[in-house]
Amino acid sequence: MLVCASPPPLPALTGLRDDKLTLLSSSPGLGGTPGETVRHCSAPEDPIFRFSSLHSYPFPGTIKSRDMSWKRHHLIPETFGVKRRRKRGPVESDPLRGEPGSARAAVSELMQLFPRGLFEDALPPIVLRSQVYSLVPDRTVADRQLKELQEQGEIRIVQLGFDLDAHGIIFTEDYRTRVLKACDGRPYAGAVQKFLASVLPACGDLSFQQDQMTQTFGFRDSEITHLVNAGVLTVRDAGSWWLAVPGAGRFIKYFVKGRQAVLGMVRKAKYRELLLSELLGRRAPVVVRLGLTYHVHDLIGAQLVDCISTTSGTLLRLPET
Amino acid sequence: MLGFLSARQTGLEDPLRLRRAESTRRVLGLELNKDRDVERIHGGGINTLDIEPVEGRYMLSGGSDGVIVLYDLENSSRQSYYTCKAVCSIGRDHPDVHRYSVETVQWYPHDTGMFTSSSFDKTLKVWDTNTLQTADVFNFEETVYSHHMSPVSTKHCLVAVGTRGPKVQLCDLKSGSCSHILQGHRQEILAVSWSPRYDYILATASADSRVKLWDVRRASGYLITLDQHNGKKSQAVESANTAHNGKVNGLCFTSDGLHLLTVGTDNRMRLWNSSNGENTLVNYGKVCNNSKKGLKFTVSCGCSSEFVFVPYGSTIAVYTVYSGEQITMLKGHYKTVDCCVFQSNFQELYSGSRDCNILAWVPSLYEPVPDDDETTTKSQLNPAFEDAWSSSDEEG
């Protein structure tokens, strides 16, 4: 006589599901393998595996450097639109920090790397746009999200003088407090306060024009001169100015020297390539005042080094051209 | 693919969708093919290529030795191995050949009876294809970097010419003289392009980092200067607007004319909305560009997501236009690639470089499915001649 089988082992099944969930949400260590595999079926007899990484992977911008022909042939079944994705479990998103993998989270994370003590808190923490690219792999998405943040008034984008392409990102609140502190008691304080109160919230651009300042905001020429003396505006062309950070000269000097030094470390290595883990483990030269990680993010995002993924981790190599 | 075919057959889907999907699949599979070759005639680097828009069969190439060659791209032989032969060429022994390097060639947009070529010898020559004689010559004061004739226009025959001077000249083929001068740029004009959507809209790119859109009927000047920061628009301050942070080398409208792509020596490529001049902020990453003169790049046509093919050093980089993703780098040339053109009927790409070669990038075909093992090892012998005995000991 057959004994009825006991009810199906529910705890074991849920245990299995729990294992899968923990696998999905586990965070691998620095330079470890990506944590999640998502299975796509492009045709019934042709499964193609695809690896995608979670936000916990430290330099997701490096994923792009996979073998190009693999990527192309993977895109081909996509054009015929037959794909079924496994749904991801709900990923927690912190409203303050933004969705993981978004530009907002990247900016907050990078602000932590900025050495505040170095400038005696007189300078607001500045993050570069290229550093955001190293954390958010899709550049167009990163640009659009930064533009949204700029329009909402949360961040200001500032032209850093050494390279027309390098944009610094600062939180508006930080900028405002630092500028007010810097101009405290000086003769141009009035003009600066008027600028911060009326122009900053209204106009989110990088630059300001002559007629905009005089007509729309009612600044006199003498007040504009005060603003330039205060360091809040920098001359761009006859009748137009860039927004600037007072006291940023020191930062720019350290940044340019540090960037050249870190790039030099890669250049002097044998075959002009260095493992990322080895580079971060080395002692920073004295010239590098802002921190090695800060500069590495910038180099990767600005594509001054090529990232190649190897079995020993990410490799940074100088491009041939 | 089979799903698409059956959906098209039953009418569930538009036939255009299948065509676009297959075109995209073919473009994603572009690679060098040992069966396809282009005959090597040029003795110097190849600066420009153009495929005629009527049939997509004939291709013109202009080289830095001043030679212009006409190739037939169609494979009329029955074999798969095919070399695109040169039908005729304007070589160094031709009396009217250009004295210096040919920078741009273009077919007459409406038929293959005529083509135009411009060169560093400060001339724009209009050629009759059948007799290979110059029908007309326009002389300029400065070297000519680029010229373009409108591909859609039926109301005018203007050729826009960009030279080393800051003025864009419009030459009328009907009257044989320069009819317009467009003023507004401050340095040499490196690229000009007419819009494929409107008859009178012209885009010009200059070494002063500015790209201007013009309506040639308007007397008062340019319509828009493109601004990479998308600042406030007002006529008085447009002098500060720049499209790139370096010289702007190349211009290409997308095939529907709604967007414009520009490349500059600041190693960036930007996509602009051509109706209001707004920077769409699509980021393609670093697009290396060291060219001192124009860079000729091209956009695919007829795919579900359009691709742009940009010469990047000695390779060609392929990006999707609207998302900025880099698909691949096509490696094959030995030296810097100067120009590339896309043949949209067969989804083929032809590229010319300083190593005097034109390479043809052809979609890789499906691999033939291997037969089952039984059929391949099946004996070819007539069953009457087959051995009927077996070598095992048990049976008789």
Side-chain angles (χ1 to χ4, degrees):
Chain A
M1 182 175 137
L2 284 169
V3 177
C4 287
S6 55
L10 278 170
L13 268 181
T14 52
L16 194 63
R17 218 174 290 132
D18 280 335
D19 281 332
K20 279 203 183 129
L21 277 176
T22 51
L23 180 64
L24 280 174
S25 57
S26 71
S27 46
L30 199 78
T33 54
E36 182 188 51
T37 66
V38 178
R39 186 187 173 117
H40 299 284
C41 295
S42 60
E45 59 280 342
D46 195 16
I48 293 179
F49 287 90
R50 176 175 164 175
F51 289 89
S52 65
S53 70
L54 289 181
H55 57 279
S56 45
Y57 189 63
F59 289 98
T62 61
I63 295 291
K64 282 243 130 154
S65 59
R66 289 188 185 272
D67 178 34
M68 283 301 178
S69 58
W70 166 85
K71 182 177 185 177
R72 268 210 288 176
H73 293 297
H74 170 70
L75 283 173
I76 290 174
E78 268 188 45
T79 62
F80 290 109
V82 260
K83 237 162 55 125
R84 274 172 266 126
R85 284 180 200 264
R86 174 188 291 168
K87 289 198 188 33
R88 289 194 197 189
V91 183
E92 291 165 32
S93 56
D94 184 3
L96 249 184
R97 294 199 36 176
E99 300 265 314
S102 79
R104 180 83 173 77
V107 171
S108 315
E109 215 175 297
L110 289 164
M111 291 285 186
Q112 313 296 329
L113 290 174
F114 184 84
R116 293 169 195 247
L118 190 58
F119 301 102
E120 294 104 31
D121 228 20
L123 208 58
I126 305 180
V127 159
L128 272 84
R129 197 190 270 265
S130 45
Q131 293 172 330
V132 176
Y133 292 152
S134 81
L135 287 179
V136 180
D138 189 347
R139 286 161 179 257
T140 313
V141 164
D143 274 347
R144 296 228 168 100
Q145 286 175 351
L146 285 175
K147 183 124 181 107
E148 259 172 44
L149 288 173
Q150 196 186 358
E151 273 160 16
Q152 285 162 12
E154 250 185 270
I155 59 172
R156 293 303 303 200
I157 302 197
V158 156
Q159 179 87 310
L160 296 173
F162 63 91
D163 187 3
L164 280 171
D165 232 346
H167 293 160
I169 301 170
I170 313 176
F171 281 126
T172 322
E173 277 317 302
D174 284 341
Y175 180 71
R176 194 191 292 269
T177 44
R178 297 299 196 290
V179 169
L180 282 173
K181 208 164 66 155
C183 73
D184 226 2
R186 302 289 186 98
Y188 41 70
V192 172
Q193 274 157 16
K194 183 176 167 191
F195 179 79
L196 288 178
S198 61
V199 183
L200 267 200
C203 180
D205 290 340
L206 276 85
S207 64
F208 305 100
Q209 319 298 340
Q210 169 91 25
D211 56 348
Q212 196 184 12
M213 294 288 278
T214 45
Q215 273 137 39
T216 329
F217 298 114
F219 276 85
R220 290 188 303 273
D221 279 341
S222 54
E223 288 180 324
I224 299 183
T225 322
H226 280 319
L227 290 175
V228 175
N229 288 342
V232 174
L233 290 182
T234 318
V235 170
R236 174 186 176 183
D237 199 358
S240 74
W241 297 272
W242 296 117
L243 182 67
V245 183
R250 246 190 331 161
F251 166 75
I252 294 174
K253 188 174 72 172
Y254 292 156
F255 181 80
V256 171
K257 288 221 170 91
R259 191 195 239 191
Q260 292 306 320
V262 178
L263 210 49
M265 280 165 79
V266 181
R267 196 177 299 132
K268 289 194 193 115
K270 194 172 185 191
Y271 307 118
R272 293 152 68 98
E273 61 190 17
L274 263 189
L275 276 177
L276 180 65
S277 44
E278 195 192 318
L279 177 64
L280 292 174
R282 284 198 189 173
R283 212 164 42 114
V286 177
V287 199
V288 175
R289 311 274 282 244
L290 301 171
L292 272 179
T293 334
Y294 192 85
H295 283 293
V296 167
H297 273 289
D298 166 60
L299 288 180
I300 294 177
Q303 289 179 303
L304 289 166
V305 286
D306 289 334
C307 284
I308 298 135
S309 54
T310 62
T311 46
S312 337
T314 320
L315 186 72
L316 300 178
R317 184 187 288 163
L318 284 183
E320 288 96 44
T321 47
Chain B
M1 172 72 163
L2 292 175
F4 260 86
L5 281 171
S6 56
R8 179 179 184 261
Q9 199 173 15
T10 53
L12 283 172
E13 272 187 16
D14 199 3
L16 192 58
R17 270 202 75 192
L18 169 64
R19 181 178 164 176
R20 284 180 174 267
E22 179 61 15
S23 303
T24 314
R25 188 198 69 79
R26 283 169 67 87
V27 171
L28 286 173
L30 276 180
E31 61 184 26
L32 280 179
N33 194 332
K34 59 176 170 36
D35 290 334
R36 181 67 75 92
D37 208 358
V38 178
E39 193 182 345
R40 188 173 154 161
I41 304 274
H42 280 281
I46 291 151
N47 284 331
T48 176
L49 292 170
D50 189 38
I51 297 183
E52 44 111 359
V54 180
E55 261 186 308
R57 183 175 167 176
Y58 295 105
M59 181 167 78
L60 275 175
S61 73
S64 35
D65 46 0
V67 171
I68 301 172
V69 186
L70 207 159
Y71 295 95
D72 181 357
L73 301 177
E74 187 172 305
N75 185 0
S76 46
S77 70
R78 298 295 172 88
Q79 297 130 12
S80 60
Y81 174 70
Y82 173 66
T83 307
C84 300
K85 291 261 179 272
V87 172
C88 60
S89 75
I90 299 167
R92 301 288 334 153
D93 50 351
H94 193 283
D96 293 322
V97 69
H98 281 287
R99 293 208 327 272
Y100 299 128
S101 144
V102 174
E103 286 302 309
T104 319
V105 285
Q106 193 195 1
W107 285 104
Y108 183 60
H110 307 291
D111 63 54
T112 52
M114 193 164 88
F115 61 89
T116 49
S117 68
S118 66
S119 140
F120 269 4
D121 65 356
K122 307 181 189 176
T123 59
L124 168 74
K125 293 193 171 159
V126 182
W127 302 84
D128 178 337
T129 324
N130 293 310
T131 59
L132 278 192
Q133 305 292 324
T134 43
D136 205 350
V137 179
F138 294 88
N139 290 301
F140 301 97
E141 285 144 15
E142 306 269 6
T143 60
V144 180
Y145 278 117
S146 167
H147 79 269
H148 197 238
M149 193 163 163
S150 173
V152 291
S153 162
T154 48
K155 302 214 179 77
H156 67 81
C157 310
L158 294 173
V159 181
V161 180
T163 65
R164 208 198 272 176
K167 298 183 189 162
V168 183
Q169 312 214 28
L170 296 179
C171 301
D172 189 4
L173 288 181
K174 268 196 206 147
S175 62
S177 61
C178 291
S179 60
H180 282 63
I181 293 185
L182 301 175
Q183 299 211 40
H185 281 293
R186 295 187 198 155
Q187 287 181 35
E188 58 231 29
I189 315 285
L190 292 172
V192 292
S193 180
W194 291 89
S195 160
R197 199 176 174 87
Y198 301 110
D199 287 359
Y200 294 102
I201 302 290
L202 173 69
T204 57
S206 156
D208 63 359
S209 326
R210 289 175 175 83
V211 175
K212 293 190 194 275
L213 285 174
W214 311 76
D215 182 334
V216 297
R217 298 168 293 187
R218 212 167 108 135
S220 54
Y222 51 85
L223 289 174
I224 309 172
T225 307
L226 300 183
D227 180 18
Q228 57 179 306
H229 302 296
N230 283 341
K232 304 269 185 303
K233 301 257 179 299
S234 77
Q235 198 71 17
V237 296
E238 280 202 346
S239 58
N241 289 346
T242 55
H244 280 267
N245 294 323
K247 300 187 198 182
V248 188
N249 262 342
L251 277 182
C252 186
F253 276 94
T254 54
S255 45
D256 53 12
L258 293 172
H259 288 95
L260 173 66
L261 280 159
T262 58
V263 286
T265 50
D266 59 345
N267 298 332
R268 297 273 171 256
M269 180 157 70
R270 300 215 157 96
L271 180 71
W272 309 82
N273 185 332
S274 61
S275 51
N276 57 9
E278 190 193 317
N279 185 354
T280 57
L281 297 176
V282 176
N283 195 325
Y284 300 93
K286 185 170 165 185
V287 182
C288 265
N289 185 347
N290 294 325
S291 175
K292 293 198 174 64
K293 38 184 197 177
L295 190 73
K296 294 171 174 57
F297 62 102
T298 184
V299 179
S300 72
C301 176
C303 302
S304 56
S305 62
E306 301 293 357
F307 301 98
V308 55
F309 305 94
V310 187
Y312 188 126
S314 62
T315 65
I316 301 171
V318 184
Y319 300 92
T320 37
V321 173
Y322 299 109
S323 75
E325 200 186 331
Q326 186 178 50
I327 304 288
T328 184
M329 309 267 275
L330 299 174
K331 294 183 168 58
H333 279 287
Y334 301 124
K335 287 198 187 167
T336 325
V337 180
D338 274 330
C339 52
C340 53
V341 279
F342 185 72
Q343 215 267 32
S344 50
N345 294 336
F346 295 105
Q347 289 85 39
E348 289 164 356
L349 181 72
Y350 293 89
S351 58
S353 101
R354 284 194 207 158
D355 61 3
C356 319
N357 281 332
I358 301 177
L359 288 183
W361 306 84
V362 170
S364 58
L365 301 169
Y366 285 111
E367 289 293 321
V369 177
D371 289 336
D372 285 344
D373 283 347
E374 293 165 20
T375 45
T376 47
T377 58
K378 195 169 178 172
S379 168
Q380 304 281 352
L381 279 181
N382 193 319
F385 294 110
E386 278 190 75
D387 287 331
W389 56 271
S390 84
S391 54
S392 73
D393 288 340
E394 285 93 27
E395 296 185 76

